[in-house]
Amino acid sequence: MFPDPITPRSYPELLAKPDYDPFKVMPGNLPPAPRIFTTAAQLQRARQRLDAGNPIDTECFKQLISLCKIDEPLPALKLATGPIEWGLGTLTPPLKLAFYNALAFKLGAANRHRDRALEAMRLAAHAAVRKNDWSGDEHHEAGNAARAYDLLVSDGLSPADDNLFRSMLRALMSAMECATHRMCNNHNSMQMTGRLPLAVALEDIPSIHDTLYGHQHNGQWRYGLIHCLRHDFLADGTQWEGAAGYHMLVLMMVCECFTIMEHLGVDLWHRQWPSLMQNDSQDEHRGWGPKGARPLLAAFDAMLYMTFPNGDYSLLHDQILGNIRGTGVWGPIFNQAYEKFRLPRHAWVLRQINRGCAATANGPLPRWFMENRGATDFVRIEARDYPEGEYPLTEDRQFSLTGRHVSGCSLLPEYGLTILRSDVLDLKAPSASLYWGPHSAGHRSPAALHLEIHAFDQRISNAPHVFKDGYGDPRHLTWNRSTIAHNTVTVDQYPMFPYDFESESLWECDRWRDTLSDGKLEQFQPEGDFKVARASNDNVYAGVLLDRTVVVTRGFVMDLFRVTADRPRLLDWAIHLHGEFSRAGEPVDLGQNRGYRHMTDARVHPRQNGSDWTLLPFQLGDTRVHGDLWLGGASEAQLITAQDEPVDGRSPIGDSRPPQARTAVIVRRHAATALFVSIWGLDPHQATPRGGHVSGKADADVTVQLGKDQRWIFPLKGNVRREPSQT
């Protein structure tokens, strides 16, 4: 489809030439302004809707006028030479005012809006040309400055204003070279959304090329948009850093760049991008290949197939997005997706964002236009009526090169995630996600083979809560970045590689070390009336093989965790559950290692009548469910319960419930090989069969008797089977 392009590792000077365009993405002659935030055609459409009294557009225009603050004084900025005292305000407030007022004027507001836009631009420009302490993170200033200039210059500027404003734009372009994040990360994607509008505003063709293909500055290479599309969105559609929130952030930046390029006459929305097949020179992650083409559409699809049936996301890693309805926080990207691709599944997402209601031209203001979001977006979003859409989880689909959705279950192999859903049409039916991916990004937590269970339209178990203060909260390192805070096995009370030492950094990842942390998918069995996922990892604890098999049925989730070590080790299998527990037993000291020090009121739960199984009931609102945990195979096995680190008021974006407290359940063994078996009864209308005899061991086939009539066979090699009991 494309010629093999030059890479920055080989001939960076050739790659940086504006006439080198192997992907045919460079625009020809630039159209007249406006051409950054909006176009003359979009402005005309918006004015026609306002003239016609369209209620949604009229309300959004009112939002815009309120943001113009036409009767308020301009924000104060220190204009003396030397560093600006940014405590009094940044360049962002006056530049936003300039953009809002320039847009309002173009939509028919009074001349004084243009005058105010010019005053605000002059204020910011005088400060910018004197500033000498740029951080490099000025993409917000750059975007607002370029948008405002683009709207103002379309009606002509005085030579003095034009020279002053262009000096500010050039200063911002130079400032952005100070940004230290230059490669495969969300910070660099933000730089693209600052650099591209600046380049277009200045009619700087080489800088447009730089943003797309990358460029050198002082001997250092900065990756461009095409690298992001070929490599940073993996072959299953997910963004490599590992959290859906960062995926959305990068996708938002890419969509903004695509929108600007579309205004220049270049359609990137419907293009496909060949996989990067080797390191471009300074890649921050693995995931090259496989051969094939990656459409941006796959990045939208990945967000659909990472969800539980009700739209909830796992909270694993640095995840602040709780439900797909919260994706509107990252701008109107699903509106853009629907307008570009016209797929019913994107209309369904918009209905979720709009709290279950399809938007209509004469209906209430949709949520993507609320809270002042509509003040500017109403100009660019074309549609006012949206269909109901189609629920995406009912149809089998391959997305991107390797992502698969089969029989209601999803596999994202590059990210390393399998989601099993027993019944996608019943939001209360059990589902489970198993994470087995690599620790190849600093935003990930040491949680190989982490399991989350979902039922009753809510999370039953989940990952640690992200606190209000985010990365500034010290608990993020000692709790969120610990293994025991997750639903997996901790060995010798230390976190998994690469947090296997007392690091003071939140950003450990395996590429700084000499070990790859990759797990391995052993089984994906989505068909039939029970669903199975199995994965293993022998890279996160030296000398230890972790192997987990998860079975999801309509009534329960069964979990079989094998551990095989080179010598006896202290093994803590943990799961962190919502709900109310009746807790009893003798207190136990869990120690001061990372993660453990945060759990309180730890107690050894008493064994029940000498049985190998312990029933652990808990209450989820009005629903009573239970776990059945096997303590057989070792007389010293302990069942420990403890209170987790308390949550604060930061709700995951899109969640309908406030953050939920968690209780830790730990099964402790000291052994070289161990089996951990649990059964989670999740059908309140039907009793789950109790666990019975377990035979086998971690390095052999295992059989679990369930009730009187079911035998479950977990072969060391081969698929899980369910057979009638022979007893």
Side-chain angles (χ1 to χ4, degrees), residues 478-542:
T478 59
W479 177 242
N480 292 44
R481 290 288 194 261
S482 74
T483 297
I484 193 61
H486 295 81
N487 305 324
T488 184
V489 166
T490 300
V491 178
D492 294 334
Q493 292 193 303
Y494 277 92
M496 294 175 177
F497 171 85
Y499 282 92
D500 52 337
F501 67 108
E502 292 292 311
S503 171
E504 293 303 315
S505 171
L506 288 171
W507 313 116
E508 299 296 337
C509 58
D510 62 10
R511 66 191 175 91
W512 300 112
R513 306 279 293 281
D514 193 34
T515 297
L516 296 182
S517 58
D518 300 44
K520 180 182 178 182
L521 179 67
E522 303 283 356
Q523 186 179 354
F524 176 52
Q525 188 178 331
E527 294 88 354
D529 58 354
F530 63 89
K531 323 287 185 177
V532 181
R534 180 182 175 188
S536 65
N537 193 306
D538 62 356
N539 293 314
V540 291
Y541 285 116

XYZ file of all heavy atoms in Angstrom, residues 478-542:
542
model
N 3.139 3.449 47.285
C 3.228 2.362 48.264
C 1.977 1.496 48.330
O 2.003 0.432 48.952
C 3.531 2.930 49.657
O 2.493 3.842 50.039
C 4.862 3.667 49.653
N 0.889 1.932 47.689
C -0.342 1.136 47.661
C -0.717 0.781 46.221
O -0.690 -0.383 45.827
C -1.471 1.880 48.357
C -2.812 1.203 48.329
C -3.956 1.670 47.752
C -3.161 -0.069 48.912
N -4.998 0.787 47.936
C -4.535 -0.300 48.645
C -2.447 -1.034 49.621
C -5.204 -1.444 49.051
C -3.122 -2.185 50.039
C -4.483 -2.374 49.759
N -1.005 1.783 45.414
C -1.441 1.501 44.040
C -0.378 0.777 43.230
O -0.703 0.026 42.313
C -1.822 2.799 43.317
C -3.066 3.435 43.887
O -3.218 3.507 45.098
N -3.961 3.900 43.050
N 0.894 1.024 43.532
C 1.964 0.350 42.801
C 2.460 -0.899 43.530
O 3.560 -1.382 43.259
C 3.131 1.315 42.579
C 2.846 2.438 41.590
C 2.783 1.918 40.149
N 2.838 3.013 39.194
C 1.786 3.551 38.584
N 0.564 3.088 38.838
N 1.937 4.539 37.723
N 1.673 -1.409 44.449
C 2.021 -2.675 45.095
C 1.196 -3.793 44.473
O 0.130 -3.565 43.906
C 1.763 -2.608 46.604
O 0.378 -2.669 46.886
N 1.696 -5.016 44.589
C 0.987 -6.171 44.030
C -0.135 -6.630 44.945
O -1.217 -6.998 44.477
C 1.975 -7.312 43.774
O 2.931 -6.885 42.800
C 1.269 -8.554 43.244
N 0.079 -6.587 46.256
C -0.931 -7.095 47.177
C -2.218 -6.286 47.101
O -3.293 -6.775 47.485
C -0.391 -7.116 48.634
C -1.306 -7.939 49.557
C -0.194 -5.705 49.158
C -1.444 -9.387 49.172
N -2.168 -5.062 46.583
C -3.382 -4.252 46.428
C -4.229 -4.715 45.261
O -5.330 -4.191 45.058
C -3.010 -2.780 46.247
N -3.740 -5.692 44.495
C -4.442 -6.181 43.316
C -4.917 -7.611 43.538
O -4.652 -8.225 44.570
C -3.525 -6.087 42.097
C -3.174 -4.675 41.740
N -2.170 -3.977 42.398
C -3.705 -3.828 40.829
C -2.094 -2.760 41.888
N -3.017 -2.639 40.946
N -5.607 -8.128 42.559
C -6.228 -9.450 42.675
C -5.373 -10.485 41.950
O -5.694 -10.934 40.846
C -7.649 -9.419 42.095
C -8.505 -8.351 42.735
O -8.390 -8.079 43.929
N -9.365 -7.723 41.944
N -4.283 -10.848 42.598
C -3.356 -11.812 42.032
C -2.550 -12.405 43.184
O -2.967 -12.299 44.342
C -2.465 -11.143 40.954
O -1.633 -12.127 40.353
C -1.638 -10.003 41.522
N -1.426 -13.027 42.898
C -0.596 -13.639 43.940
C 0.648 -12.795 44.167
O 1.348 -12.417 43.219
C -0.204 -15.080 43.562
C 0.915 -15.597 44.465
C -1.418 -15.998 43.668
N 0.908 -12.488 45.428
C 2.134 -11.807 45.848
C 3.072 -12.845 46.457
O 2.652 -13.663 47.274
C 1.825 -10.710 46.873
O 0.936 -9.755 46.299
C 3.101 -10.002 47.316
N 4.343 -12.792 46.061
C 5.333 -13.752 46.534
C 6.273 -13.060 47.522
O 6.840 -11.998 47.217
C 6.132 -14.344 45.361
C 7.204 -15.304 45.864
C 5.187 -15.057 44.390
N 6.423 -13.661 48.701
C 7.342 -13.168 49.736
C 7.067 -11.722 50.118
O 7.980 -10.987 50.533
C 8.808 -13.324 49.288
C 9.212 -14.785 49.145
O 8.599 -15.636 49.824
O 10.115 -15.073 48.341
N 5.832 -11.293 49.977
C 5.357 -9.977 50.397
C 6.033 -8.820 49.645
O 6.011 -7.685 50.101
C 5.529 -9.784 51.907
C 4.623 -10.685 52.736
C 4.571 -10.286 54.192
O 5.592 -10.225 54.868
N 3.377 -9.987 54.677
N 6.591 -9.100 48.459
C 7.192 -8.041 47.661
C 6.405 -7.865 46.364
O 5.877 -8.836 45.806
C 8.657 -8.369 47.333
C 9.599 -7.987 48.447
C 9.932 -8.907 49.436
C 10.134 -6.699 48.518
C 10.785 -8.556 50.471
C 10.984 -6.338 49.556
C 11.303 -7.269 50.525
O 12.127 -6.919 51.551
N 6.333 -6.613 45.867
C 5.662 -6.410 44.584
C 6.379 -7.130 43.447
O 7.576 -7.423 43.518
C 5.720 -4.886 44.382
C 5.908 -4.324 45.750
C 6.741 -5.336 46.484
N 5.641 -7.372 42.400
C 6.193 -7.990 41.203
C 7.201 -7.061 40.515
O 7.164 -5.843 40.678
C 5.067 -8.293 40.208
C 4.078 -9.333 40.655
S 2.735 -9.485 39.434
C 1.798 -10.830 40.161
N 8.078 -7.654 39.723
C 8.934 -6.925 38.805
C 8.045 -6.029 37.921
O 6.986 -6.462 37.497
C 9.688 -7.946 37.939
C 10.448 -7.350 36.792
C 11.730 -6.868 36.984
C 9.893 -7.283 35.521
C 12.438 -6.323 35.924
C 10.590 -6.731 34.466
C 11.873 -6.251 34.667
N 8.407 -4.776 37.673
C 9.681 -4.125 37.972
C 9.677 -3.299 39.261
O 10.505 -2.404 39.408
C 9.880 -3.231 36.757
C 8.490 -2.815 36.394
C 7.615 -4.002 36.697
N 8.744 -3.573 40.185
C 8.722 -2.892 41.488
C 9.253 -3.808 42.584
O 8.841 -3.719 43.728
C 7.303 -2.432 41.809
C 6.925 -1.182 41.052
C 6.298 -1.257 39.815
C 7.227 0.075 41.552
C 5.979 -0.120 39.097
C 6.914 1.226 40.852
C 6.288 1.124 39.626
O 5.985 2.259 38.922
N 10.209 -4.647 42.229
C 10.740 -5.633 43.161
C 11.880 -5.074 44.002
O 12.666 -5.824 44.577
C 11.209 -6.868 42.397
C 12.158 -6.529 41.247
O 12.120 -5.383 40.761
O 12.925 -7.411 40.840
N 12.006 -3.750 44.081
C 12.973 -3.108 44.963
C 12.330 -1.822 45.473
O 11.271 -1.419 44.995
C 14.295 -2.832 44.238
C 14.193 -1.803 43.148
C 14.738 -0.538 43.298
C 13.547 -2.097 41.945
C 14.646 0.407 42.291
C 13.455 -1.158 40.931
C 14.003 0.102 41.108
N 12.954 -1.176 46.427
C 12.339 -0.017 47.081
C 12.483 1.236 46.215
O 13.123 2.220 46.597
C 12.966 0.198 48.461
C 12.632 -0.896 49.459
C 11.159 -0.897 49.863
O 10.637 0.176 50.213
O 10.549 -1.971 49.819
N 11.895 1.199 45.056
C 11.957 2.331 44.136
C 11.168 3.512 44.692
O 10.117 3.344 45.303
C 11.371 1.935 42.777
O 11.230 3.061 41.939
N 11.664 4.705 44.446
C 10.927 5.912 44.794
C 10.248 6.512 43.568
O 9.707 7.613 43.626
C 11.869 6.942 45.432
C 12.409 6.519 46.787
C 11.290 6.217 47.781
O 10.323 7.003 47.858
O 11.376 5.176 48.467
N 10.288 5.797 42.467
C 9.692 6.280 41.226
C 8.363 5.594 40.980
O 8.221 4.376 41.175
C 10.624 6.007 40.046
O 9.972 6.278 38.820
N 7.395 6.373 40.520
C 6.110 5.809 40.104
C 6.179 5.177 38.726
O 5.221 4.529 38.306
C 5.052 6.920 40.060
C 4.537 7.482 41.377
C 3.674 8.703 41.108
C 3.737 6.428 42.116
N 7.275 5.381 38.005
C 7.269 5.133 36.565
C 8.166 3.982 36.153
O 8.693 3.975 35.043
C 7.671 6.418 35.826
C 6.937 7.609 36.350
C 7.455 8.702 36.972
C 5.516 7.811 36.331
N 6.466 9.573 37.330
C 5.257 9.062 36.958
C 4.434 7.078 35.838
C 3.976 9.580 37.114
C 3.156 7.577 35.992
C 2.935 8.809 36.616
N 8.358 3.002 37.038
C 9.151 1.844 36.655
C 8.490 1.094 35.495
O 7.262 1.000 35.409
C 9.315 0.891 37.842
C 10.032 1.490 39.033
C 11.467 1.874 38.738
O 12.062 1.310 37.795
O 11.992 2.753 39.435
N 9.320 0.568 34.599
C 8.812 -0.303 33.524
C 9.944 -1.224 33.089
O 11.118 -0.950 33.352
C 8.259 0.501 32.354
S 9.424 1.630 31.606
N 9.589 -2.302 32.434
C 10.589 -3.346 32.215
C 11.694 -2.945 31.244
O 12.771 -3.531 31.249
C 9.931 -4.659 31.785
C 9.173 -4.570 30.468
O 9.282 -3.551 29.760
O 8.459 -5.540 30.142
N 11.479 -1.927 30.419
C 12.519 -1.579 29.441
C 13.757 -0.967 30.101
O 14.800 -0.844 29.451
C 11.958 -0.634 28.384
C 11.550 0.727 28.877
C 10.754 1.472 27.797
N 10.241 2.737 28.286
C 10.909 3.900 28.189
N 12.082 3.922 27.605
N 10.384 5.005 28.653
N 13.642 -0.580 31.392
C 14.813 -0.072 32.101
C 15.644 -1.206 32.704
O 16.700 -0.952 33.285
C 14.392 0.876 33.224
C 13.623 2.065 32.759
C 12.312 2.349 33.001
C 14.110 3.146 31.943
N 11.949 3.530 32.403
C 13.031 4.046 31.745
C 15.344 3.447 31.361
C 13.157 5.204 30.997
C 15.471 4.606 30.618
C 14.386 5.470 30.449
N 15.158 -2.425 32.583
C 15.808 -3.566 33.233
C 16.202 -4.591 32.170
O 16.125 -4.316 30.972
C 14.840 -4.181 34.258
C 14.289 -3.194 35.289
C 15.251 -2.929 36.422
N 15.424 -4.118 37.237
C 14.556 -4.526 38.168
N 13.450 -3.820 38.405
N 14.789 -5.606 38.881
N 16.587 -5.757 32.609
C 17.063 -6.779 31.679
C 16.094 -7.949 31.557
O 16.471 -9.044 31.155
C 18.443 -7.291 32.134
C 19.140 -8.104 31.058
O 18.959 -7.775 29.879
O 19.844 -9.071 31.391
N 14.842 -7.718 31.939
C 13.823 -8.767 31.869
C 12.596 -8.225 31.170
O 12.186 -7.089 31.412
C 13.432 -9.239 33.284
O 14.574 -9.817 33.915
C 12.315 -10.273 33.233
N 11.997 -9.024 30.315
C 10.702 -8.670 29.749
C 9.623 -9.249 30.658
O 9.687 -10.411 31.052
C 10.556 -9.223 28.333
C 11.525 -8.656 27.293
C 11.229 -9.261 25.921
C 11.444 -7.151 27.230
N 8.633 -8.456 30.968
C 7.617 -8.849 31.947
C 6.428 -9.554 31.313
O 5.448 -9.843 31.996
C 7.118 -7.606 32.695
O 6.590 -6.671 31.763
N 6.492 -9.830 30.030
C 5.337 -10.319 29.287
C 4.730 -11.578 29.893
O 5.442 -12.513 30.271
C 5.718 -10.634 27.841
C 6.240 -9.424 27.090
O 7.046 -8.689 27.675
O 5.847 -9.227 25.937
N 3.403 -11.588 29.949
C 2.675 -12.809 30.240
C 2.358 -13.539 28.951
O 2.683 -13.084 27.843
N 1.688 -14.666 29.085
C 1.377 -15.506 27.923
C -0.072 -15.954 27.997
O -0.514 -16.480 29.023
C 2.303 -16.725 27.896
C 2.061 -17.668 26.726
C 3.002 -18.864 26.812
C 2.757 -19.848 25.680
N 3.651 -21.044 25.804
N -0.808 -15.737 26.926
C -2.172 -16.257 26.849
C -2.103 -17.753 26.563
O -1.532 -18.181 25.562
C -2.949 -15.544 25.742
C -4.384 -16.024 25.534
C -5.259 -15.685 26.735
C -4.979 -15.421 24.263
N -2.686 -18.540 27.440
C -2.680 -19.992 27.274
C -3.973 -20.510 26.660
O -3.958 -21.530 25.964
C -2.463 -20.670 28.635
C -1.199 -20.259 29.365
C 0.053 -20.908 28.792
O -0.088 -21.744 27.866
O 1.161 -20.578 29.254
N -5.074 -19.818 26.907
C -6.368 -20.334 26.436
C -7.375 -19.203 26.362
O -7.455 -18.358 27.254
C -6.876 -21.412 27.395
C -8.135 -22.136 26.942
C -8.547 -23.196 27.951
O -7.844 -23.457 28.917
N -9.687 -23.810 27.740
N -8.124 -19.166 25.265
C -9.269 -18.268 25.122
C -10.388 -19.109 24.540
O -10.330 -19.538 23.401
C -8.926 -17.097 24.208
C -10.083 -16.168 23.926
C -10.830 -15.628 24.966
C -10.414 -15.825 22.620
C -11.889 -14.762 24.707
C -11.466 -14.963 22.351
C -12.207 -14.433 23.394
N -11.396 -19.392 25.359
C -12.463 -20.331 25.020
C -13.802 -19.626 25.211
O -14.449 -19.765 26.241
C -12.339 -21.566 25.935
C -13.241 -22.723 25.607
C -12.982 -23.896 26.549
O -11.871 -24.079 27.042
N -14.010 -24.684 26.798
N -14.234 -18.834 24.208
C -15.441 -18.024 24.395
C -16.751 -18.723 24.047
O -17.810 -18.272 24.476
C -15.206 -16.849 23.449
C -14.387 -17.429 22.337
C -13.530 -18.493 22.955
N -16.686 -19.790 23.248
C -17.926 -20.418 22.807
C -18.495 -21.335 23.896
O -17.796 -21.772 24.788
C -17.696 -21.232 21.527
C -17.320 -20.409 20.309
C -15.823 -20.187 20.179
O -15.093 -20.590 21.111
O -15.387 -19.595 19.169
N -19.777 -21.621 23.769
C -20.426 -22.545 24.683
C -21.089 -21.848 25.851
O -21.118 -20.619 25.947
N -21.621 -22.652 26.772
C -22.358 -22.081 27.902
C -21.451 -21.774 29.088
O -21.923 -21.350 30.133
C -23.505 -23.000 28.330
C -23.025 -24.391 28.726
O -21.822 -24.666 28.555
O -23.848 -25.183 29.208
N -20.166 -21.999 28.965
C -19.209 -21.440 29.916
C -18.024 -20.914 29.117
O -17.683 -21.399 28.049
C -18.779 -22.452 30.985
C -18.040 -23.661 30.463
C -16.657 -23.640 30.333
C -18.718 -24.824 30.137
C -15.966 -24.744 29.873
C -18.041 -25.938 29.669
C -16.656 -25.905 29.537
N -17.400 -19.857 29.657
C -16.327 -19.154 28.969
C -15.046 -19.319 29.789
O -15.089 -19.287 31.023
C -16.636 -17.662 28.826
C -18.109 -17.328 28.564
C -18.547 -17.680 27.167
C -19.982 -17.228 26.906
N -20.407 -17.496 25.523
N -13.909 -19.430 29.097
C -12.657 -19.711 29.790
C -11.548 -18.800 29.262
O -11.425 -18.574 28.056
C -12.223 -21.178 29.601
C -10.918 -21.451 30.359
C -13.315 -22.127 30.066
N -10.743 -18.302 30.182
C -9.491 -17.632 29.844
C -8.400 -18.188 30.749
O -8.622 -18.410 31.947
C -9.606 -16.127 30.021
N -7.233 -18.398 30.177
C -6.097 -18.875 30.963
C -4.846 -18.131 30.506
O -4.646 -17.901 29.308
C -5.894 -20.379 30.788
C -4.720 -20.938 31.587
C -4.527 -22.429 31.332
N -3.339 -22.941 32.014
C -2.835 -24.169 31.841
N -3.442 -25.013 31.003
N -1.757 -24.541 32.481
N -4.016 -17.730 31.457
C -2.781 -17.036 31.136
C -1.729 -17.400 32.169
O -2.041 -17.850 33.280
C -2.999 -15.530 31.114
N -0.466 -17.197 31.797
C 0.636 -17.516 32.701
C 1.695 -16.425 32.619
O 1.722 -15.617 31.683
C 1.253 -18.876 32.347
O 1.848 -18.824 31.055
N 2.588 -16.416 33.616
C 3.699 -15.473 33.618
C 4.817 -16.038 34.485
O 4.597 -16.359 35.654
C 3.265 -14.105 34.156
C 4.296 -13.030 33.892
O 5.455 -13.159 34.247
N 3.859 -11.948 33.261
N 6.007 -16.157 33.901
C 7.169 -16.599 34.675
C 8.261 -15.536 34.681
O 9.433 -15.842 34.898
C 7.708 -17.926 34.142
C 8.202 -17.839 32.702
O 8.067 -16.748 32.077
O 8.722 -18.850 32.184
N 7.869 -14.283 34.461
C 8.841 -13.199 34.354
C 8.778 -12.182 35.492
O 9.668 -11.339 35.589
C 8.639 -12.443 33.033
C 8.972 -13.285 31.834
O 10.004 -13.947 31.806
N 8.098 -13.285 30.836
N 7.748 -12.223 36.312
C 7.578 -11.155 37.306
C 8.103 -11.529 38.683
O 8.302 -10.652 39.530
C 6.102 -10.712 37.396
C 5.691 -9.988 36.131
C 5.177 -11.891 37.676
N 8.309 -12.820 38.937
C 9.003 -13.286 40.134
C 10.034 -14.315 39.684
O 9.665 -15.336 39.071
C 8.044 -13.927 41.135
C 7.177 -12.951 41.903
C 5.795 -12.953 41.753
C 7.742 -12.036 42.787
C 4.989 -12.067 42.463
C 6.951 -11.141 43.498
C 5.586 -11.158 43.329
O 4.793 -10.273 44.031
N 11.295 -14.060 39.957
C 12.347 -14.982 39.536
C 12.122 -16.359 40.140
O 11.911 -16.496 41.347
C 13.717 -14.442 39.949
